[in-house]
C-alpha cells in the first residue's frame, strides 16, 4: 500500500528513460490535502546532492504538497547546473499539478554521483507520471525508486481511523546519518509540522540512523513525512510517534535485509553501557569492522574481532569486564575465553551479537550486514 | 639482513610447533650490547594483548636486551593466564640467555585472538632458538613472525659507520595507531633511550600510523627499536631520525604491498588542508570507504565516492571547491565533473588519489588497499 495507504495521497511510478535499461525510474507522490504539513531529515554528509539542498529549502517553508523522486542518477557533485536541474524539476511538477507551487515540491534523486541527469527525459516523465497519479499508485512509486534494490520496500501502520504508510529504497552506502536511502512517509492523521518533525526525528534516530550496512554515508539521504489530515483525526503524540517509528523500523529492517551482496543481517545490541552514546559508538564500531563482517560471512564466531573493535572506541569500559555473546552463546566472558564457540549456530541469515560493557545500564541496537565477495563484485562494477 | 644488519645483534627463527602446519613460528632477537637502550610504540587499541601489556612494562625500565616473538597466536583476550604465559616466556628466555633478566626481555605475539598459546611447545622453542642465535639470523627471524604474510619483510639503511635495520610482519587488521604489525628495528648507533624514543615516534607517526589497509586496529601492534651502541658512533639526531624513518617507510610500504587479498596499493595524498590533522582525517576517511575500495578494485575512477567520504569529516573545506585527481587526471574540479574519467589509466598496482581541499597549505599521505573478494575469502576462513 506504501505511500497511498493513507487517505489524501496519490502516487505514480513510471519509466522516463533515465535508466538505460528501461526500468521504472520516476516517482511522483502528491498530497491532496486538506493539509500539506511536512517534516524531513536529510544526510549529515557535508557533500550534499542538489535535490537535498533544494528539499531542505522547501521544508523551511513548512509545507510539501508533492515529491518528485528519480532513480538512475543522484544529481550529486554536479555543480550549479545540477541545482538548476532540480529547480526545473520542481517547476515542471508545479506546471502539471494544478494548484501547486514549485516552492512546495520536494525533489529526491538516487543513483551514480557526479553525472548530470538527462533532463530531456526527466521533464516529460513528470508530465507522464502526473497523468497516471492514482490512490493505488503507491506500489508503482516504490518500484520506480529502486536502484540496486532487489525488491521494493513498503510498510504500513494502520491505526484507529488513521494510517501511516511509506516506501523506501536503499541497498548500498548504508550508514548512519542516515543510511543511503530515499524514504517517503505519508499519513492522513491531522498533525502539524512541529508534531511531524518531532515524531520523525525520534523515529529516525533509533531506526534509519542505526542501520550501518557498509559504513559509507550518502550524499542523497532523504526521509520525508507528509500529512494530509484527510482522516480528520489528531492522534495523541505518543500514539502517532509510535506508528511512525513502527513504519521506519519496518523499512529500516527491509533495507538491511536487501543490502548489496549481503548474506547475513547482523543485529548488534550493546548493553550495560554508561550512556546511550557509548552504546551507539560501540555498536557502530563493531558494525564497521571489516574483519568481523568477513568472519560473520564465514559463519565464524570470531569474538576477538568484536573485542578489537570495542577497543577502538572512547566508551567507558574495562577490557577485563567485557562479555560478548553470539547468537546467545557467551563466547567471551570477562574479556577472555567464555563458552565453547562450537556451540554457536550461525546457519541462518540473522546473527545476533550482544556486547556487554558492564559499565552502566544503557543500551542500543545497530543493524549491519556481513561483507561478501558479492558486495565487492557489485560495487566494483556499479558505474560501468 | 634484517635485524642483524647492525652490529651487536644476533637472531634466530625456528619452528616451535605453535603453528599446526609446522612453519617457523618463533623468533628471538638479542642485543649483545654494549648498550641496551630501547624505545617502543604500541597499539592504541584499549583491548591490549598480554605481550603488549608486558612489553610496555619492560620499556618503562628503559632497557631491552632481547625480544621473543611468536606467530601462531596473539595471546590477546586470554585473561590472567595469558599474562602469566607472557611472563613465563620472558623468564624462560632469561634462563637460556646468560646475563639477561626477564625484566629486560620484551615479548610480542601475533595470530588469532582469544586462544591461549601452547606453552608446552613455546617454552622449549625458546631454548632451541637460543641455540641457533647468529649474526646472520635476521632473515630467519623475519620469516618466523609471518602469519598471513606471503613474504617476509626486512629493510636496512646503512650510513657512515652505523646502520638501522629491521623486520616486520603484518598483512591484515592494518589501521592507524598502529597497523597490525610486529616490527623490530635495531641499530648499532650509540643513541640513548630518549633519542631512540623521539626518532621512533617521529618515524611511526608518518609511516606505520598512516597505513590503513582495512580500517581494523589490532590488539597486538608493537614496534621496538633497540640500540647496541656497537658502532661506537653517535650520529646527529636528524641524521639518525632520517635513517629510522627510511626503514619504517620501507617496511610500511611492504606491509601495504602484501596486504591480505589486495590487488591495488592506494596512495592517498590530501593537499591544501587547513591543518595536518585535517589532512590525515580526510585521508583516513577516504582510505576506509568500502565502496571506493571496491571501485578501485574494479579500476573504476569513481570520484563521487571520494567526495562522499570527504563529506563525512570535520575538516575545513567547501564542497564546491574540492578537487580530486586519480592517477594524475583531475576528474573532479570545484566539487563537480572535471576532466574525462576515461583518461584515467588504472591498470597498475599503485593507484594515486589526490584530494585538494583548497583550504590551506598542509598535506598528508595515507596508504590503503582495495577491497577484494580475496580479502573476504581470506578473512572468512582465517580461524577455521
Amino acid at each position: 500500500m506504501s505511500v497511498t495507504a493513507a487517505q489524501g495521497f496519490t502516487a505514480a511510478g513510471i519509466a522516463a528513460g533515465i535508466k538505460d535499461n528501461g526500468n521504472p525510474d520516476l516517482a511522483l507522490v502528491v498530497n491532496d490535502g486538506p493539509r500539506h504539513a511536512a517534516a524531513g531529515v536529510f544526510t549529515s554528509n557535508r557533500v550534499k546532492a542538489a535535490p537535498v539542498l533544494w528539499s531542505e529549502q522547501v521544508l523551511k517553508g513548512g509545507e510539501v504538497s508533492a515529491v518528485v523522486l528519480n532513480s538512475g542518477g543522484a544529481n550529486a557533485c554536479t555543480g550549479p547546473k545540477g541545482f538548476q536541474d532540480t529547480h526545473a524539476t520542481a517547476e515542471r511538477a508545479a506546471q502539471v499539478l494544478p494548484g501547486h507551487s514549485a516552492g512546495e515540491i520536494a525533489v529526491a534523486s538516487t543513483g551514480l554521483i557526479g553525472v548530470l541527469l538527462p533532463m530531456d527525459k526527466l521533464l516529460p516523465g513528470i508530465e507522464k507520471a502526473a497523468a497516471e497519479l492514482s490512490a493505488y499508485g503507491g506500489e508503482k512509486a516504490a518500484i520506480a525508486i529502486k536502484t540496486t534494490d532487489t525488491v521494493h520496500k513498503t510498510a504500513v501502520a494502520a491505526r484507529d481511523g488513521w494510517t501511516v504508510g511509506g516506501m523506501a529504497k536503499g541497498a548500498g552506502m548504508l550508514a548512519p546519518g542516515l543510511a543511503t536511502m530515499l524514504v517517503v512517509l505519508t499519513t492522513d492523521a491531522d498533525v502539524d509540522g512541529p508534531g511531524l518533525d518531532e515524531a520523525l526525528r525520534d523515529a529516525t534516530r533509533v531506526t534509519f540512523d542505526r542501520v550501518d550496512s557498509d559504513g559509507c554515508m550518502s550524499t542523497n539521504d532523504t526521509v520525508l513525512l507528509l500529512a494530509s489530515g484527510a482522516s480528520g483525526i489528531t492522534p495523541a503524540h505518543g500514539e502517532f510517534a509510535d506508528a511512525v517509528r513502527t513504519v521506519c523500523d519496518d523499512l529500516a529492517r527491509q533495507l538491511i535485509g536487501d543490502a548489496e551482496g549481503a548474506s547475513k543481517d547482523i543485529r548488534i545490541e550493546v548493553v550495560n553501557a554508561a550512556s546511550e552514546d557509548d552504546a551507539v559508538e560501540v555498536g557502530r564500531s563493531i558494525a564497521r569492522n571489516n574483519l568481523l563482517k568477513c568472519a560473520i560471512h564465514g559463519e565464524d564466531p570470531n569474538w576477538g574481532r568484536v573485542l578489537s573493535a570495542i577497543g577502538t572506541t572512547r566508551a567507558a569500559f574495562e577490557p577485563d569486564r567485557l562479555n560478548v555473546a553470539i547468537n546467545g552463546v557467551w563466547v567471551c566472558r570477562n574479556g577472555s575465553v567464555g563458552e565453547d564457540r562450537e556451540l554457536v549456530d550461525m546457519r541462518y541469515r540473522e546473527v545476533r551479537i550482544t556486547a556487554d560493557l558492564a559499565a552502566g545500564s544503557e543500551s542500543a541496537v545497530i543493524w549491519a550486514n556481513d561483507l561478501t565477495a558479492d558486495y565487492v563484485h557489485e560495487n566494483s562494477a556499479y558505474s560501468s
Side-chain angles (χ1 to χ4, degrees), chain A:
Chain A
M1 292 290 285
S2 179
V3 289
T4 47
Q7 299 174 65
F9 291 91
T10 52
I14 60 133
I18 303 166
K19 287 178 180 167
D20 288 337
N21 63 11
N23 284 344
D25 49 20
L26 189 77
L28 188 56
V29 180
V30 177
N31 181 352
D32 294 315
R35 255 188 193 278
H36 300 103
V41 290
F42 300 92
T43 182
S44 54
N45 198 311
R46 290 169 58 200
V47 175
K48 295 181 203 297
V52 169
L53 296 171
W54 171 265
S55 297
E56 282 181 335
Q57 285 297 323
V58 169
L59 261 292
K60 283 183 186 162
E63 298 215 324
V64 174
S65 61
V67 188
V68 183
L69 307 98
N70 75 274
S71 53
N75 197 6
C77 306
T78 44
K81 177 68 171 70
F83 192 80
Q84 287 165 23
D85 287 347
T86 293
H87 188 178
T89 299
E91 288 286 358
R92 178 62 65 95
Q95 285 166 14
V96 300
L97 296 171
H100 296 261
S101 76
E104 294 178 1
I105 297 175
V107 179
S109 301
T110 181
L112 193 63
I113 299 173
V115 179
L116 288 165
L117 291 170
M119 297 305 288
D120 58 326
K121 292 170 179 163
L122 196 152
L123 294 178
I126 293 171
E127 195 160 351
K128 184 176 168 196
E132 296 196 10
L133 282 169
S134 147
Y136 304 96
E139 297 296 318
K140 283 191 174 175
I143 291 166
I145 60 175
K146 286 169 57 185
T147 52
T148 54
D149 307 66
T150 64
V151 294
H152 64 284
K153 288 124 185 153
T154 66
V156 173
R159 296 290 186 264
D160 191 16
W162 57 277
T163 296
V164 178
M167 65 178 184
K169 71 73 53 177
M173 213 184 254
L174 291 175
L178 310 163
T180 290
M181 57 182 61
L182 303 184
V183 179
V184 179
L185 307 171
T186 58
T187 183
D188 46 19
D190 190 5
V191 181
D192 62 11
L196 295 176
D197 190 68
E198 188 179 344
L200 184 62
R201 287 182 193 282
D202 284 353
T204 55
R205 192 178 70 83
V206 294
T207 56
F208 298 124
D209 271 353
R210 296 198 179 165
V211 163
D212 196 336
S213 171
D214 65 359
C216 297
M217 189 195 293
S218 156
T219 51
N220 287 59
D221 293 327
T222 299
V223 182
L224 299 173
L225 170 56
L226 315 184
S228 69
S231 72
I233 297 171
T234 302
H237 179 75
E239 199 181 359
F240 180 68
D242 177 75
V244 172
R245 190 170 53 245
T246 296
V247 171
C248 288
D249 197 44
D250 188 338
L251 292 172
R253 282 286 291 113
Q254 292 182 53
L255 292 174
I256 279 288
D258 191 33
E260 285 172 350
S263 72
K264 302 283 188 192
D265 302 341
I266 312 173
R267 181 183 192 275
I268 300 160
E269 181 166 21
V270 181
V271 300
N272 297 325
S275 68
E276 188 179 352
D277 284 351
D278 273 11
V280 170
E281 183 187 355
V282 167
R284 285 185 179 160
S285 181
I286 296 169
R288 292 181 174 189
N289 189 282
N290 277 354
L291 288 170
L292 176 66
K293 287 156 72 84
C294 289
I296 300 293
H297 178 52
E299 302 187 348
D300 166 14
N302 194 322
W303 59 268
R305 292 174 180 177
V306 178
L307 259 66
S308 77
I310 296 173
T312 64
T313 70
R314 298 157 302 177
F317 71 84
E318 293 300 324
D320 58 2
R321 294 194 64 199
L322 295 171
N323 304 302
V324 174
I326 300 178
N327 282 351
V329 181
W330 289 93
V331 284
C332 171
R333 288 272 191 201
N334 296 318
S336 183
V337 186
E339 293 177 42
D340 186 354
R341 44 171 283 152
E342 300 299 325
L343 298 173
V344 182
D345 180 354
M346 298 178 72
R347 285 174 296 170
Y348 304 110
R349 183 165 177 117
E350 186 170 316
V351 174
R352 288 167 290 112
I353 296 176
T354 310
D356 173 5
L357 302 187
S361 58
E362 299 298 318
S363 64
V365 172
I366 300 282
W367 281 94
N369 292 108
D370 57 342
L371 182 56
T372 70
D374 287 346
Y375 176 90
V376 173
H377 178 73
E378 192 155 348
N379 287 298
S380 301
Y382 182 81
S383 82
S384 51

